[in-house]
Amino acid sequence: MAPAKSAKKKSKAPLVFQSPDGKSSPHPDLDTLVQQTIARVADKWTLLTLEALDQHGTLRFTQLAELVDGVSQKMLTQTLRQMEADGFVTRTVHPVIPPKVEYTLTALGRSLGEAFCSVWTWAEKNYKAIEKARVAYRERPRISR
Amino acid sequence: MAPAKSAKKKSKAPLVFQSPDGKSSPHPDLDTLVQQTIARVADKWTLLTLEALDQHGTLRFTQLAELVDGVSQKMLTQTLRQMEADGFVTRTVHPVIPPKVEYTLTALGRSLGEAFCSVWTWAEKNYKAIEKARVAYRERPRISR
DNA sequence: TATGTCAGTTACTACGAGGTAAGTAGCATG
DNA sequence: CATGCTACTTACCTCGTAGTAACTGACATA
């Protein structure tokens, strides 16, 4: 009935940006920009890689492959390239044989790690509450069915 | 999402949990638990829905469908059910015709919103830096090609 | 000459997330 | 009696993500 496309057309009228308190974006795209940024950054491998680098400082490719649990070479490369492009890590190639490539967080990368710290802390504090809520939801008495 | 079982074999040596500062988990699964929690929570539609509810308080289904830009009915329902099961929102059905269903954040949901606030703030502050980094990466002089 | 090392790249493939659209319930209104 | 409203559910199908595994390059060592 209301497919996404027609919904998108509808939201061209800037409903999202008419926040009632008036503290919304200076220009209509800020929200979108921020959302894209978060979507980009809130990726599984990116987060795990960020954590590994944050904890251990400088790391080589194979060290990261061991630390980031379950990552494939392909995804690790992809993730690191992306993080490099976004300015979160520096990639230092030492032209020796066998190759030696070192990855380190930039200031931007470190600040991202700090920002995610509160989410991390939140998860530590609340994962039990979520588990409880899930159980309660499952056991929940159903009026009809 | 995390099949990666064959890769897990490799990481039998608990490298991840031997954090050098010794401030790591009391038991080896905390890290995993927290990561799963974050992976669950750091979902596009969940984040956008969370934001909409955080900003506007109580909302009906169609209001959410308008506010959460680009979401399909299917995904909105799915997201809301999940958030309800996880204890982030309450779902109130008013038995009237036509149906009226209202969604509100729980305390847990609001605390999640607060935790993500720092990431949100970070994104607001740094999306320009990321954009700059991307341009720099693209324009970057290549030694060989 | 063969084998190992590190840091990838590439081709092939499969799975599943998610989009689209139609169906459902129950009553109110024209 | 047909259409519309709200809040979904369901079936179908596509497209992208990511896993697997083999291959590369340049040299060092046995």
Side-chain angles (χ1 to χ4, degrees):
Chain A
M1 241 178 221
K5 268 181 192 171
S6 60
K8 242 177 200 171
K9 277 171 200 166
K10 254 198 175 178
S11 67
K12 263 175 193 169
L15 279 169
V16 181
F17 309 113
Q18 291 174 338
S19 86
D21 49 21
K23 69 173 181 101
S24 64
S25 321
H27 57 281
D29 283 353
L30 217 206
D31 256 23
T32 311
L33 241 33
V34 170
Q35 273 162 23
Q36 284 171 353
T37 306
I38 289 184
R40 186 69 163 267
V41 141
D43 163 72
K44 181 187 175 184
W45 298 130
T46 303
L47 251 35
L48 295 180
T49 306
L50 185 73
E51 200 209 343
L53 286 171
D54 208 33
Q55 282 183 9
H56 296 82
T58 298
L59 287 172
R60 301 180 61 175
F61 186 82
T62 38
Q63 294 181 304
L64 275 166
E66 277 167 14
L67 287 169
V68 179
D69 195 42
V71 77
S72 63
Q73 288 190 330
K74 182 185 150 190
M75 286 316 294
L76 184 55
T77 307
Q78 215 174 95
T79 304
L80 286 169
R81 285 293 131 80
Q82 176 124 45
M83 291 178 76
E84 194 197 354
D86 290 348
F88 301 150
V89 298
T90 55
R91 179 170 177 271
T92 314
V93 183
H94 301 273
V96 295
I97 301 277
K100 180 174 182 178
V101 180
E102 286 180 329
Y103 295 92
T104 314
L105 287 185
T106 62
L108 189 60
R110 263 176 275 124
S111 74
L112 176 60
E114 279 167 38
F116 261 101
C117 212
S118 67
V119 181
W120 197 267
T121 309
W122 178 91
E124 268 182 13
K125 274 185 200 155
N126 295 290
Y127 73 94
K128 277 176 197 161
I130 296 175
E131 202 46 56
K132 266 185 73 175
R134 278 179 200 163
V135 174
Y137 186 79
R138 259 177 263 136
E139 320 278 86
R140 183 193 196 178
R142 288 256 148 211
I143 302 168
S144 65
R145 182 98 173 106
Chain B
M1 224 176 242
K5 274 178 186 172
S6 59
K8 247 177 194 170
K9 279 172 201 164
K10 250 197 175 178
S11 64
K12 264 177 195 168
L15 280 168
V16 179
F17 308 113
Q18 292 174 338
S19 88
D21 50 17
K23 72 173 178 100
S24 66
S25 321
H27 56 280
D29 282 353
L30 219 204
D31 256 23
T32 311
L33 240 32
V34 170
Q35 271 163 26
Q36 283 171 355
T37 305
I38 290 184
R40 185 69 163 266
V41 140
D43 163 72
K44 182 187 176 185
W45 298 129
T46 303
L47 250 35
L48 295 180
T49 306
L50 185 74
E51 200 210 344
L53 285 171
D54 207 34
Q55 282 183 8
H56 295 82
T58 298
L59 288 172
R60 300 182 61 178
F61 186 83
T62 38
Q63 293 181 307
L64 275 166
E66 277 168 13
L67 287 168
V68 179
D69 196 42
V71 77
S72 64
Q73 289 188 333
K74 183 184 152 190
M75 286 315 294
L76 183 55
T77 307
Q78 213 173 99
T79 304
L80 286 169
R81 285 295 130 81
Q82 176 126 47
M83 291 177 77
E84 194 197 354
D86 290 348
F88 301 150
V89 298
T90 55
R91 179 171 177 269
T92 314
V93 182
H94 301 273
V96 294
I97 303 267
K100 180 174 182 179
V101 180
E102 288 180 328
Y103 296 92
T104 315
L105 287 186
T106 62
L108 189 61
R110 263 175 275 124
S111 74
L112 177 60
E114 279 167 38
F116 261 101
C117 212
S118 67
V119 180
W120 196 267
T121 309
W122 178 90
E124 268 182 14
K125 275 186 199 153
N126 294 290
Y127 74 95
K128 278 176 196 161
I130 296 174
E131 201 46 56
K132 267 186 73 176
R134 279 179 198 161
V135 173
Y137 185 80
R138 258 177 265 135
E139 319 278 85
R140 183 193 196 178
R142 288 258 147 210
I143 302 166
S144 63
R145 189 152 174 58

